[in-house]
Amino acid sequence: MGARERVTRFASLNVDAAARAVAEVGGLERKQRPALAAGVCRNCGDDDARERAIVPDSDHETNGIALCSNCAEDHTADGSRADCGGLPVARERVLDRDDGRCRGCGVREALVVGDVLHLHAVVSPDGNGHRHVHNVVALCPICHERVHDSG
């Protein structure tokens, strides 16, 4: 499957999943992550993805992202925090999807002292990382540092 077909397939999965999520969520107070089909890589859209930790050594319930084995190899590999700067995704969309909480530890942005939640590209754009909202998560400064120190 070529890159164009993967992007087209991923986009159609995205639209279908978003429509289902809106219909299912309705008036719930807690935000829900847009649900892609189970086993679909959040970076490239390929099948056979499995849940992997975003922040090492964190057991928070939201500290996971589905990645295929190819994208998992590039997951924080030799990435610097500079790789996360200037990502062309809407900060508001990421924070809304992540309920204004760090995906590593669950802290709310309002409780982050002297800073805000950072946007983190799970698979570095310098590697195979796609520049879209599904490859970007909100992390507090401490979890963001832990991710990049582990690579």
Side-chain angles (χ1 to χ4, degrees), residues 42-94:
R42 302 266 300 196
N43 180 52
C44 70
D46 282 350
D47 293 329
D48 298 326
R50 66 178 183 88
E51 198 79 6
R52 299 170 196 277
I54 299 168
V55 179
D57 302 325
S58 175
D59 59 0
H60 192 267
E61 65 188 32
T62 61
N63 183 39
I65 189 165
L67 295 174
C68 67
S69 56
N70 289 338
C71 292
E73 289 175 13
D74 292 326
H75 173 63
T76 67
D78 300 324
S80 71
R81 287 181 66 170
D83 294 339
C84 297
L87 292 168
V89 297
R91 175 179 168 74
E92 298 79 32
R93 284 188 63 199
V94 175

mmCIF file of all heavy atoms in Angstrom, residues 42-94:
data_model
loop_
_atom_site.group_PDB
_atom_site.id
_atom_site.type_symbol
_atom_site.label_atom_id
_atom_site.label_comp_id
_atom_site.label_asym_id
_atom_site.label_seq_id
_atom_site.Cartn_x
_atom_site.Cartn_y
_atom_site.Cartn_z
ATOM 1 N N ARG A 42 -1.935 5.280 15.400
ATOM 2 C CA ARG A 42 -2.305 6.690 15.500
ATOM 3 C C ARG A 42 -1.372 7.585 14.706
ATOM 4 O O ARG A 42 -1.636 8.762 14.560
ATOM 5 C CB ARG A 42 -2.287 7.122 16.965
ATOM 6 C CG ARG A 42 -3.185 6.331 17.864
ATOM 7 C CD ARG A 42 -4.503 6.908 18.066
ATOM 8 N NE ARG A 42 -4.412 8.226 18.647
ATOM 9 C CZ ARG A 42 -5.420 8.845 19.209
ATOM 10 N NH1 ARG A 42 -6.563 8.246 19.285
ATOM 11 N NH2 ARG A 42 -5.280 10.039 19.676
ATOM 12 N N ASN A 43 -0.276 7.052 14.189
ATOM 13 C CA ASN A 43 0.638 7.847 13.373
ATOM 14 C C ASN A 43 0.390 7.631 11.881
ATOM 15 O O ASN A 43 0.168 8.570 11.149
ATOM 16 C CB ASN A 43 2.092 7.540 13.719
ATOM 17 C CG ASN A 43 3.059 8.354 12.895
ATOM 18 O OD1 ASN A 43 2.954 9.577 12.828
ATOM 19 N ND2 ASN A 43 3.980 7.700 12.242
ATOM 20 N N CYS A 44 0.404 6.384 11.414
ATOM 21 C CA CYS A 44 0.348 6.139 9.970
ATOM 22 C C CYS A 44 -0.961 5.524 9.493
ATOM 23 O O CYS A 44 -1.227 5.486 8.298
ATOM 24 C CB CYS A 44 1.519 5.258 9.534
ATOM 25 S SG CYS A 44 1.392 3.555 10.113
ATOM 26 N N GLY A 45 -1.798 5.007 10.403
ATOM 27 C CA GLY A 45 -3.072 4.433 10.003
ATOM 28 C C GLY A 45 -3.006 2.965 9.622
ATOM 29 O O GLY A 45 -4.017 2.389 9.244
ATOM 30 N N ASP A 46 -1.850 2.339 9.711
ATOM 31 C CA ASP A 46 -1.732 0.916 9.388
ATOM 32 C C ASP A 46 -2.407 0.068 10.461
ATOM 33 O O ASP A 46 -2.593 0.496 11.594
ATOM 34 C CB ASP A 46 -0.258 0.502 9.274
ATOM 35 C CG ASP A 46 0.364 0.931 7.958
ATOM 36 O OD1 ASP A 46 -0.382 1.381 7.054
ATOM 37 O OD2 ASP A 46 1.594 0.842 7.826
ATOM 38 N N ASP A 47 -2.737 -1.160 10.085
ATOM 39 C CA ASP A 47 -3.341 -2.112 11.029
ATOM 40 C C ASP A 47 -2.254 -2.742 11.896
ATOM 41 O O ASP A 47 -1.073 -2.504 11.704
ATOM 42 C CB ASP A 47 -4.084 -3.208 10.262
ATOM 43 C CG ASP A 47 -5.302 -2.655 9.541
ATOM 44 O OD1 ASP A 47 -5.901 -1.696 10.046
ATOM 45 O OD2 ASP A 47 -5.650 -3.199 8.477
ATOM 46 N N ASP A 48 -2.678 -3.584 12.813
ATOM 47 C CA ASP A 48 -1.788 -4.337 13.695
ATOM 48 C C ASP A 48 -1.019 -3.447 14.667
ATOM 49 O O ASP A 48 0.121 -3.736 15.016
ATOM 50 C CB ASP A 48 -0.808 -5.216 12.900
ATOM 51 C CG ASP A 48 -1.539 -6.258 12.067
ATOM 52 O OD1 ASP A 48 -2.592 -6.730 12.545
ATOM 53 O OD2 ASP A 48 -1.076 -6.578 10.964
ATOM 54 N N ALA A 49 -1.631 -2.375 15.105
ATOM 55 C CA ALA A 49 -1.013 -1.525 16.127
ATOM 56 C C ALA A 49 -1.344 -2.089 17.495
ATOM 57 O O ALA A 49 -2.345 -2.767 17.681
ATOM 58 C CB ALA A 49 -1.524 -0.098 16.004
ATOM 59 N N ARG A 50 -0.481 -1.801 18.452
ATOM 60 C CA ARG A 50 -0.783 -2.181 19.832
ATOM 61 C C ARG A 50 -0.483 -0.986 20.737
ATOM 62 O O ARG A 50 0.284 -0.098 20.377
ATOM 63 C CB ARG A 50 -0.024 -3.421 20.261
ATOM 64 C CG ARG A 50 1.453 -3.298 20.360
ATOM 65 C CD ARG A 50 2.061 -4.621 20.863
ATOM 66 N NE ARG A 50 3.477 -4.518 21.027
ATOM 67 C CZ ARG A 50 4.090 -4.101 22.132
ATOM 68 N NH1 ARG A 50 3.389 -3.739 23.182
ATOM 69 N NH2 ARG A 50 5.403 -4.028 22.187
ATOM 70 N N GLU A 51 -1.119 -0.989 21.887
ATOM 71 C CA GLU A 51 -0.981 0.114 22.836
ATOM 72 C C GLU A 51 0.432 0.142 23.412
ATOM 73 O O GLU A 51 0.960 -0.878 23.846
ATOM 74 C CB GLU A 51 -2.000 -0.073 23.965
ATOM 75 C CG GLU A 51 -2.272 1.156 24.750
ATOM 76 C CD GLU A 51 -3.224 2.128 24.084
ATOM 77 O OE1 GLU A 51 -3.793 1.833 23.022
ATOM 78 O OE2 GLU A 51 -3.398 3.212 24.653
ATOM 79 N N ARG A 52 1.059 1.309 23.380
ATOM 80 C CA ARG A 52 2.405 1.488 23.919
ATOM 81 C C ARG A 52 2.392 2.698 24.841
ATOM 82 O O ARG A 52 1.638 3.631 24.638
ATOM 83 C CB ARG A 52 3.404 1.702 22.790
ATOM 84 C CG ARG A 52 3.458 0.519 21.843
ATOM 85 C CD ARG A 52 4.259 0.825 20.604
ATOM 86 N NE ARG A 52 4.021 -0.139 19.549
ATOM 87 C CZ ARG A 52 4.609 -1.315 19.450
ATOM 88 N NH1 ARG A 52 5.473 -1.689 20.349
ATOM 89 N NH2 ARG A 52 4.337 -2.129 18.453
ATOM 90 N N ALA A 53 3.251 2.696 25.844
ATOM 91 C CA ALA A 53 3.330 3.805 26.795
ATOM 92 C C ALA A 53 3.911 5.035 26.117
ATOM 93 O O ALA A 53 4.854 4.943 25.343
ATOM 94 C CB ALA A 53 4.198 3.419 27.983
ATOM 95 N N ILE A 54 3.339 6.194 26.413
ATOM 96 C CA ILE A 54 3.870 7.458 25.910
ATOM 97 C C ILE A 54 5.033 7.886 26.801
ATOM 98 O O ILE A 54 6.120 8.180 26.325
ATOM 99 C CB ILE A 54 2.780 8.553 25.897
ATOM 100 C CG1 ILE A 54 1.632 8.155 24.980
ATOM 101 C CG2 ILE A 54 3.378 9.895 25.472
ATOM 102 C CD1 ILE A 54 0.394 9.013 25.128
ATOM 103 N N VAL A 55 4.783 7.929 28.103
ATOM 104 C CA VAL A 55 5.803 8.323 29.084
ATOM 105 C C VAL A 55 6.282 7.059 29.783
ATOM 106 O O VAL A 55 5.474 6.305 30.327
ATOM 107 C CB VAL A 55 5.220 9.307 30.126
ATOM 108 C CG1 VAL A 55 6.273 9.697 31.145
ATOM 109 C CG2 VAL A 55 4.653 10.537 29.439
ATOM 110 N N PRO A 56 7.595 6.794 29.767
ATOM 111 C CA PRO A 56 8.086 5.575 30.419
ATOM 112 C C PRO A 56 7.836 5.603 31.927
ATOM 113 O O PRO A 56 7.843 6.657 32.547
ATOM 114 C CB PRO A 56 9.587 5.579 30.110
ATOM 115 C CG PRO A 56 9.915 6.942 29.632
ATOM 116 C CD PRO A 56 8.663 7.594 29.186
ATOM 117 N N ASP A 57 7.588 4.441 32.481
ATOM 118 C CA ASP A 57 7.409 4.257 33.930
ATOM 119 C C ASP A 57 6.235 5.050 34.500
ATOM 120 O O ASP A 57 6.277 5.487 35.640
ATOM 121 C CB ASP A 57 8.690 4.620 34.693
ATOM 122 C CG ASP A 57 9.877 3.795 34.244
ATOM 123 O OD1 ASP A 57 9.675 2.610 33.920
ATOM 124 O OD2 ASP A 57 10.992 4.340 34.187
ATOM 125 N N SER A 58 5.204 5.246 33.698
ATOM 126 C CA SER A 58 3.982 5.881 34.199
ATOM 127 C C SER A 58 2.849 4.898 34.006
ATOM 128 O O SER A 58 2.734 4.275 32.953
ATOM 129 C CB SER A 58 3.691 7.178 33.443
ATOM 130 O OG SER A 58 2.452 7.708 33.858
ATOM 131 N N ASP A 59 2.009 4.746 35.028
ATOM 132 C CA ASP A 59 0.912 3.792 34.913
ATOM 133 C C ASP A 59 -0.451 4.481 34.866
ATOM 134 O O ASP A 59 -1.473 3.866 35.110
ATOM 135 C CB ASP A 59 0.967 2.777 36.051
ATOM 136 C CG ASP A 59 0.888 3.427 37.417
ATOM 137 O OD1 ASP A 59 0.791 4.669 37.500
ATOM 138 O OD2 ASP A 59 0.923 2.690 38.419
ATOM 139 N N HIS A 60 -0.465 5.767 34.505
ATOM 140 C CA HIS A 60 -1.735 6.481 34.419
ATOM 141 C C HIS A 60 -2.581 5.894 33.296
ATOM 142 O O HIS A 60 -2.056 5.450 32.272
ATOM 143 C CB HIS A 60 -1.494 7.981 34.192
ATOM 144 C CG HIS A 60 -2.733 8.785 34.392
ATOM 145 N ND1 HIS A 60 -3.567 9.106 33.360
ATOM 146 C CD2 HIS A 60 -3.294 9.304 35.508
ATOM 147 C CE1 HIS A 60 -4.594 9.803 33.834
ATOM 148 N NE2 HIS A 60 -4.439 9.942 35.132
ATOM 149 N N GLU A 61 -3.886 5.891 33.467
ATOM 150 C CA GLU A 61 -4.793 5.256 32.506
ATOM 151 C C GLU A 61 -4.728 5.845 31.094
ATOM 152 O O GLU A 61 -5.055 5.161 30.135
ATOM 153 C CB GLU A 61 -6.236 5.332 33.025
ATOM 154 C CG GLU A 61 -6.761 6.760 33.112
ATOM 155 C CD GLU A 61 -8.105 6.875 33.798
ATOM 156 O OE1 GLU A 61 -8.378 6.074 34.698
ATOM 157 O OE2 GLU A 61 -8.866 7.778 33.423
ATOM 158 N N THR A 62 -4.315 7.096 30.944
ATOM 159 C CA THR A 62 -4.262 7.705 29.611
ATOM 160 C C THR A 62 -2.868 7.671 29.003
ATOM 161 O O THR A 62 -2.641 8.250 27.957
ATOM 162 C CB THR A 62 -4.758 9.168 29.648
ATOM 163 O OG1 THR A 62 -3.910 9.922 30.515
ATOM 164 C CG2 THR A 62 -6.197 9.252 30.091
ATOM 165 N N ASN A 63 -1.932 6.986 29.649
ATOM 166 C CA ASN A 63 -0.551 6.951 29.179
ATOM 167 C C ASN A 63 -0.358 5.842 28.149
ATOM 168 O O ASN A 63 0.425 4.936 28.329
ATOM 169 C CB ASN A 63 0.408 6.743 30.350
ATOM 170 C CG ASN A 63 1.860 6.781 29.916
ATOM 171 O OD1 ASN A 63 2.233 7.577 29.069
ATOM 172 N ND2 ASN A 63 2.664 5.916 30.477
ATOM 173 N N GLY A 64 -1.102 5.911 27.073
ATOM 174 C CA GLY A 64 -0.955 4.909 26.036
ATOM 175 C C GLY A 64 -1.372 5.454 24.696
ATOM 176 O O GLY A 64 -2.187 6.367 24.608
ATOM 177 N N ILE A 65 -0.778 4.898 23.657
ATOM 178 C CA ILE A 65 -1.126 5.280 22.295
ATOM 179 C C ILE A 65 -0.896 4.054 21.413
ATOM 180 O O ILE A 65 0.060 3.307 21.616
ATOM 181 C CB ILE A 65 -0.308 6.491 21.812
ATOM 182 C CG1 ILE A 65 -0.836 7.023 20.488
ATOM 183 C CG2 ILE A 65 1.177 6.181 21.741
ATOM 184 C CD1 ILE A 65 -0.332 8.408 20.131
ATOM 185 N N ALA A 66 -1.798 3.831 20.470
ATOM 186 C CA ALA A 66 -1.671 2.686 19.564
ATOM 187 C C ALA A 66 -0.687 3.019 18.453
ATOM 188 O O ALA A 66 -0.859 3.996 17.732
ATOM 189 C CB ALA A 66 -3.033 2.339 18.968
ATOM 190 N N LEU A 67 0.371 2.224 18.347
ATOM 191 C CA LEU A 67 1.375 2.391 17.298
ATOM 192 C C LEU A 67 1.686 1.042 16.677
ATOM 193 O O LEU A 67 1.759 0.035 17.373
ATOM 194 C CB LEU A 67 2.669 2.979 17.861
ATOM 195 C CG LEU A 67 2.624 4.400 18.415
ATOM 196 C CD1 LEU A 67 3.963 4.753 19.053
ATOM 197 C CD2 LEU A 67 2.280 5.398 17.327
ATOM 198 N N CYS A 68 1.887 1.030 15.353
ATOM 199 C CA CYS A 68 2.344 -0.191 14.690
ATOM 200 C C CYS A 68 3.826 -0.376 15.006
ATOM 201 O O CYS A 68 4.474 0.526 15.539
ATOM 202 C CB CYS A 68 2.105 -0.107 13.179
ATOM 203 S SG CYS A 68 3.101 1.132 12.331
ATOM 204 N N SER A 69 4.387 -1.511 14.669
ATOM 205 C CA SER A 69 5.779 -1.785 15.028
ATOM 206 C C SER A 69 6.747 -0.837 14.320
ATOM 207 O O SER A 69 7.749 -0.424 14.903
ATOM 208 C CB SER A 69 6.141 -3.239 14.746
ATOM 209 O OG SER A 69 5.892 -3.543 13.395
ATOM 210 N N ASN A 70 6.453 -0.439 13.066
ATOM 211 C CA ASN A 70 7.338 0.496 12.358
ATOM 212 C C ASN A 70 7.375 1.859 13.042
ATOM 213 O O ASN A 70 8.442 2.427 13.246
ATOM 214 C CB ASN A 70 6.913 0.673 10.904
ATOM 215 C CG ASN A 70 7.196 -0.548 10.071
ATOM 216 O OD1 ASN A 70 8.048 -1.363 10.414
ATOM 217 N ND2 ASN A 70 6.471 -0.698 8.986
ATOM 218 N N CYS A 71 6.228 2.393 13.397
ATOM 219 C CA CYS A 71 6.178 3.706 14.049
ATOM 220 C C CYS A 71 6.720 3.635 15.471
ATOM 221 O O CYS A 71 7.316 4.590 15.959
ATOM 222 C CB CYS A 71 4.761 4.257 14.033
ATOM 223 S SG CYS A 71 4.190 4.682 12.373
ATOM 224 N N ALA A 72 6.541 2.493 16.130
ATOM 225 C CA ALA A 72 7.041 2.346 17.492
ATOM 226 C C ALA A 72 8.561 2.410 17.529
ATOM 227 O O ALA A 72 9.139 2.871 18.503
ATOM 228 C CB ALA A 72 6.558 1.037 18.098
ATOM 229 N N GLU A 73 9.214 1.991 16.451
ATOM 230 C CA GLU A 73 10.677 2.076 16.398
ATOM 231 C C GLU A 73 11.140 3.530 16.431
ATOM 232 O O GLU A 73 12.197 3.832 16.955
ATOM 233 C CB GLU A 73 11.203 1.399 15.128
ATOM 234 C CG GLU A 73 11.066 -0.101 15.148
ATOM 235 C CD GLU A 73 11.490 -0.732 13.837
ATOM 236 O OE1 GLU A 73 12.123 -0.045 13.008
ATOM 237 O OE2 GLU A 73 11.175 -1.919 13.643
ATOM 238 N N ASP A 74 10.337 4.442 15.849
ATOM 239 C CA ASP A 74 10.687 5.857 15.823
ATOM 240 C C ASP A 74 10.099 6.626 17.004
ATOM 241 O O ASP A 74 10.287 7.819 17.127
ATOM 242 C CB ASP A 74 10.181 6.503 14.518
ATOM 243 C CG ASP A 74 10.919 5.983 13.311
ATOM 244 O OD1 ASP A 74 12.122 5.699 13.434
ATOM 245 O OD2 ASP A 74 10.288 5.859 12.254
ATOM 246 N N HIS A 75 9.378 5.941 17.873
ATOM 247 C CA HIS A 75 8.736 6.543 19.045
ATOM 248 C C HIS A 75 9.798 7.123 19.968
ATOM 249 O O HIS A 75 10.581 6.388 20.562
ATOM 250 C CB HIS A 75 7.919 5.450 19.738
ATOM 251 C CG HIS A 75 7.314 5.809 21.051
ATOM 252 N ND1 HIS A 75 6.378 6.790 21.194
ATOM 253 C CD2 HIS A 75 7.502 5.296 22.280
ATOM 254 C CE1 HIS A 75 6.018 6.866 22.460
ATOM 255 N NE2 HIS A 75 6.688 5.952 23.137
ATOM 256 N N THR A 76 9.891 8.443 20.024
ATOM 257 C CA THR A 76 10.851 9.216 20.822
ATOM 258 C C THR A 76 12.308 8.829 20.563
ATOM 259 O O THR A 76 13.168 9.102 21.375
ATOM 260 C CB THR A 76 10.587 9.132 22.349
ATOM 261 O OG1 THR A 76 10.826 7.803 22.813
ATOM 262 C CG2 THR A 76 9.202 9.563 22.702
ATOM 263 N N ALA A 77 12.604 8.194 19.427
ATOM 264 C CA ALA A 77 13.978 7.779 19.146
ATOM 265 C C ALA A 77 14.845 8.989 18.846
ATOM 266 O O ALA A 77 14.661 9.666 17.849
ATOM 267 C CB ALA A 77 14.018 6.811 17.972
ATOM 268 N N ASP A 78 15.789 9.252 19.735
ATOM 269 C CA ASP A 78 16.737 10.357 19.572
ATOM 270 C C ASP A 78 16.061 11.695 19.301
ATOM 271 O O ASP A 78 16.645 12.571 18.687
ATOM 272 C CB ASP A 78 17.740 10.047 18.443
ATOM 273 C CG ASP A 78 18.529 8.783 18.733
ATOM 274 O OD1 ASP A 78 18.839 8.553 19.917
ATOM 275 O OD2 ASP A 78 18.808 8.043 17.781
ATOM 276 N N GLY A 79 14.833 11.856 19.737
ATOM 277 C CA GLY A 79 14.133 13.122 19.522
ATOM 278 C C GLY A 79 14.477 14.134 20.587
ATOM 279 O O GLY A 79 14.759 13.783 21.728
ATOM 280 N N SER A 80 14.487 15.396 20.207
ATOM 281 C CA SER A 80 14.705 16.457 21.180
ATOM 282 C C SER A 80 13.394 17.203 21.362
ATOM 283 O O SER A 80 12.477 17.063 20.561
ATOM 284 C CB SER A 80 15.781 17.426 20.682
ATOM 285 O OG SER A 80 15.285 18.185 19.606
ATOM 286 N N ARG A 81 13.319 18.001 22.401
ATOM 287 C CA ARG A 81 12.097 18.779 22.611
ATOM 288 C C ARG A 81 11.874 19.760 21.482
ATOM 289 O O ARG A 81 10.748 20.136 21.199
ATOM 290 C CB ARG A 81 12.155 19.512 23.953
ATOM 291 C CG ARG A 81 11.981 18.542 25.107
ATOM 292 C CD ARG A 81 12.009 19.213 26.429
ATOM 293 N NE ARG A 81 10.876 20.094 26.590
ATOM 294 C CZ ARG A 81 10.551 20.671 27.732
ATOM 295 N NH1 ARG A 81 11.267 20.442 28.799
ATOM 296 N NH2 ARG A 81 9.530 21.474 27.808
ATOM 297 N N ALA A 82 12.933 20.139 20.783
ATOM 298 C CA ALA A 82 12.782 21.044 19.637
ATOM 299 C C ALA A 82 11.949 20.406 18.532
ATOM 300 O O ALA A 82 11.293 21.094 17.760
ATOM 301 C CB ALA A 82 14.150 21.452 19.102
ATOM 302 N N ASP A 83 11.967 19.055 18.453
ATOM 303 C CA ASP A 83 11.167 18.358 17.439
ATOM 304 C C ASP A 83 9.676 18.601 17.645
ATOM 305 O O ASP A 83 8.886 18.429 16.729
ATOM 306 C CB ASP A 83 11.405 16.840 17.498
ATOM 307 C CG ASP A 83 12.816 16.464 17.121
ATOM 308 O OD1 ASP A 83 13.488 17.260 16.443
ATOM 309 O OD2 ASP A 83 13.250 15.372 17.514
ATOM 310 N N CYS A 84 9.284 18.964 18.854
ATOM 311 C CA CYS A 84 7.875 19.168 19.165
ATOM 312 C C CYS A 84 7.435 20.606 18.915
ATOM 313 O O CYS A 84 6.250 20.908 18.960
ATOM 314 C CB CYS A 84 7.601 18.799 20.622
ATOM 315 S SG CYS A 84 7.911 17.067 20.974
ATOM 316 N N GLY A 85 8.376 21.511 18.687
ATOM 317 C CA GLY A 85 8.033 22.906 18.455
ATOM 318 C C GLY A 85 7.499 23.123 17.053
ATOM 319 O O GLY A 85 7.904 22.467 16.105
ATOM 320 N N GLY A 86 6.560 24.032 16.913
ATOM 321 C CA GLY A 86 6.039 24.403 15.605
ATOM 322 C C GLY A 86 5.209 23.332 14.921
ATOM 323 O O GLY A 86 5.106 23.323 13.699
ATOM 324 N N LEU A 87 4.612 22.413 15.690
ATOM 325 C CA LEU A 87 3.775 21.391 15.067
ATOM 326 C C LEU A 87 2.515 22.042 14.503
ATOM 327 O O LEU A 87 1.875 22.839 15.185
ATOM 328 C CB LEU A 87 3.392 20.317 16.095
ATOM 329 C CG LEU A 87 4.538 19.449 16.578
ATOM 330 C CD1 LEU A 87 4.111 18.636 17.793
ATOM 331 C CD2 LEU A 87 5.014 18.546 15.466
ATOM 332 N N PRO A 88 2.154 21.713 13.266
ATOM 333 C CA PRO A 88 0.997 22.368 12.632
ATOM 334 C C PRO A 88 -0.335 21.742 13.044
ATOM 335 O O PRO A 88 -1.119 21.317 12.213
ATOM 336 C CB PRO A 88 1.275 22.164 11.147
ATOM 337 C CG PRO A 88 2.006 20.874 11.094
ATOM 338 C CD PRO A 88 2.842 20.824 12.351
ATOM 339 N N VAL A 89 -0.569 21.653 14.325
ATOM 340 C CA VAL A 89 -1.850 21.164 14.828
ATOM 341 C C VAL A 89 -2.411 22.207 15.780
ATOM 342 O O VAL A 89 -1.660 22.945 16.416
ATOM 343 C CB VAL A 89 -1.716 19.800 15.548
ATOM 344 C CG1 VAL A 89 -1.248 18.725 14.595
ATOM 345 C CG2 VAL A 89 -0.804 19.882 16.738
ATOM 346 N N ALA A 90 -3.712 22.255 15.873
ATOM 347 C CA ALA A 90 -4.359 23.227 16.748
ATOM 348 C C ALA A 90 -4.234 22.767 18.207
ATOM 349 O O ALA A 90 -4.713 21.686 18.562
ATOM 350 C CB ALA A 90 -5.818 23.391 16.362
ATOM 351 N N ARG A 91 -3.575 23.578 19.007
ATOM 352 C CA ARG A 91 -3.382 23.276 20.434
ATOM 353 C C ARG A 91 -4.726 23.012 21.108
ATOM 354 O O ARG A 91 -4.855 22.087 21.904
ATOM 355 C CB ARG A 91 -2.663 24.457 21.089
ATOM 356 C CG ARG A 91 -2.498 24.350 22.577
ATOM 357 C CD ARG A 91 -1.752 25.563 23.147
ATOM 358 N NE ARG A 91 -1.841 25.602 24.576
ATOM 359 C CZ ARG A 91 -1.168 24.794 25.392
ATOM 360 N NH1 ARG A 91 -0.348 23.900 24.902
ATOM 361 N NH2 ARG A 91 -1.319 24.877 26.705
ATOM 362 N N GLU A 92 -5.729 23.794 20.753
ATOM 363 C CA GLU A 92 -7.055 23.652 21.362
ATOM 364 C C GLU A 92 -7.645 22.272 21.075
ATOM 365 O O GLU A 92 -8.307 21.682 21.923
ATOM 366 C CB GLU A 92 -8.014 24.735 20.853
ATOM 367 C CG GLU A 92 -7.591 26.152 21.186
ATOM 368 C CD GLU A 92 -6.488 26.684 20.255
ATOM 369 O OE1 GLU A 92 -6.449 26.300 19.066
ATOM 370 O OE2 GLU A 92 -5.653 27.463 20.734
ATOM 371 N N ARG A 93 -7.438 21.752 19.861
ATOM 372 C CA ARG A 93 -7.970 20.424 19.508
ATOM 373 C C ARG A 93 -7.310 19.342 20.354
ATOM 374 O O ARG A 93 -7.973 18.421 20.817
ATOM 375 C CB ARG A 93 -7.751 20.129 18.025
ATOM 376 C CG ARG A 93 -8.713 20.883 17.141
ATOM 377 C CD ARG A 93 -8.613 20.453 15.704
ATOM 378 N NE ARG A 93 -8.994 19.050 15.558
ATOM 379 C CZ ARG A 93 -8.666 18.316 14.511
ATOM 380 N NH1 ARG A 93 -7.947 18.817 13.528
ATOM 381 N NH2 ARG A 93 -9.038 17.060 14.439
ATOM 382 N N VAL A 94 -5.999 19.446 20.546
ATOM 383 C CA VAL A 94 -5.282 18.444 21.341
ATOM 384 C C VAL A 94 -5.729 18.524 22.794
ATOM 385 O O VAL A 94 -6.039 17.502 23.419
ATOM 386 C CB VAL A 94 -3.746 18.622 21.225
ATOM 387 C CG1 VAL A 94 -3.019 17.659 22.149
ATOM 388 C CG2 VAL A 94 -3.290 18.446 19.790
#
